[in-house]
Structures are given as structure tokens and as C-alpha cells.
Amino acid sequence: MALGFLLKAQTALAVSNEQHAINTFDGYCVQNKDDYSNIPPLAEAMGAMELPEEMLNADPAMRKLGGGGYGLRYEGLVFLIGFVNGGGCTVMSTGLKPAELDRLLKQFYGAEFLRKLDEGIQTTSFYTVRDPGPNQGVMFSIVAPKPEVGMDGATIGIVPRKAVESVLSNR
């Protein structure tokens, strides 16, 4: 009887890969959305490895605006964290379920789904936060490969309100 209770308690306390991804995303991207210069010291303190410049320069926005990226081992998972100065910040890993990330974005940030783009081998879902608060006006995204591609994983991203407003004002 006691063993059954302990097993149920451990199961209830189990944290999913998606929850670890949201925790990492929140700590690196969401909490630093207005000043990504806080990310490098945090990454270094957590033992993250800086990504090679060749890898960072594969991103056109990174080449133009600069930024940084790190590989982080956390709770048995490997996360790639990238940020573009004046732009967005992302966390990616394998084994993440987009539907669960969708649920967590809505639960923790009050994110509202906007639209889904079908882009060849992947899909991108966009979200915003309308409620007043520190995340009002930000744009969240989840990028995931289509099932038929045979890959798993996802990328969670944030574009701060200032960057969203800048894009919208240049239309």
C-alpha cells in the first residue's frame, strides 16, 4: 500500500522534457527579453558551451545583427539556446512534443494562438500575449518538423514587444 502511494507521488512530481524546455526558455529567453546581454554570464555560470561562430552565422539575422548561442545540458537533455541582438531568442531540443509546448505556453504565459504556417518540412505556430503584464505584446513561436520527415523535437521562440512593434511599423 505504501509503495503504491510513493509511486503515485513520484509520477505526479515527474517533470516532462517539455517542462524542462519551458523552464530553460523562461530562464534564458523570457526573463531576458529586454536585454540579452544577461544570457552569456548566465550560460557560463550554468556550464553551457558557446556555439561555434560558423554555426551562429548560418542564421541570416545572426550574421546581420549579431547575437550568441550556447549548448546546455540540463536534466539529461541537451538544449541549444540562441539569441539575436534586437530580435528573438530560441531554445531547441530533440524529443519535444509541440502540442505539450503549446499547452505550456498558454498555461504559463496566457499565450493566444494566432496562426500556423506550413513551411515545407516544418510548421511554425505563432502566439501572442494580449493580457497586461510583462509579456504583453511579445510574439511566441513553436517550430517543429512535420511527422513525415522522421525527425522529432521543436524550437520555442520569443520576439520581444519592441522588435514586434518595429516590424509592424515598417510595413
Side-chain angles (χ1 to χ4, degrees), residues 26-45:
D26 187 79
Y28 284 88
C29 296
V30 178
Q31 299 303 319
N32 293 298
K33 68 185 175 293
D34 295 319
D35 185 4
Y36 293 144
S37 69
N38 295 320
I39 293 175
L42 175 61
E44 291 169 18

Side-chain angles (χ1 to χ4, degrees), residues 102-121:
D102 171 274
R103 186 186 73 75
L104 292 170
L105 281 177
K106 291 173 180 175
Q107 176 184 344
F108 292 120
Y109 302 108
E112 295 177 30
F113 175 78
L114 292 175
R115 69 183 289 197
K116 187 174 199 170
L117 297 178
D118 186 324
E119 307 170 305
I121 64 168

Side-chain angles (χ1 to χ4, degrees), residues 1-40:
M1 184 80 145
L3 181 59
F5 174 76
L6 287 174
L7 288 174
K8 284 183 182 177
Q10 286 179 339
T11 302
L13 295 175
V15 178
S16 69
N17 290 349
E18 292 77 17
Q19 181 64 55
H20 287 308
I22 288 289
N23 292 346
T24 302
F25 177 65
D26 187 79
Y28 284 88
C29 296
V30 178
Q31 299 303 319
N32 293 298
K33 68 185 175 293
D34 295 319
D35 185 4
Y36 293 144
S37 69
N38 295 320
I39 293 175

Side-chain angles (χ1 to χ4, degrees), residues 37 41 55 78 83 90 98 122 149 152 157:
S37 69
M55 189 174 186
V78 175
F83 62 94
T90 61
Q122 66 186 23
V149 174
D152 70 349

Side-chain angles (χ1 to χ4, degrees), residues 120-132:
I121 64 168
Q122 66 186 23
T123 61
T124 305
S125 299
F126 293 98
Y127 306 78
T128 193
V129 177
R130 298 184 202 286
D131 293 337

Side-chain angles (χ1 to χ4, degrees), residues 137-155:
V138 304
M139 184 79 63
F140 289 117
S141 65
I142 298 173
V143 180
K146 292 180 182 176
E148 61 269 21
V149 174
M151 298 170 62
D152 70 349
T155 301

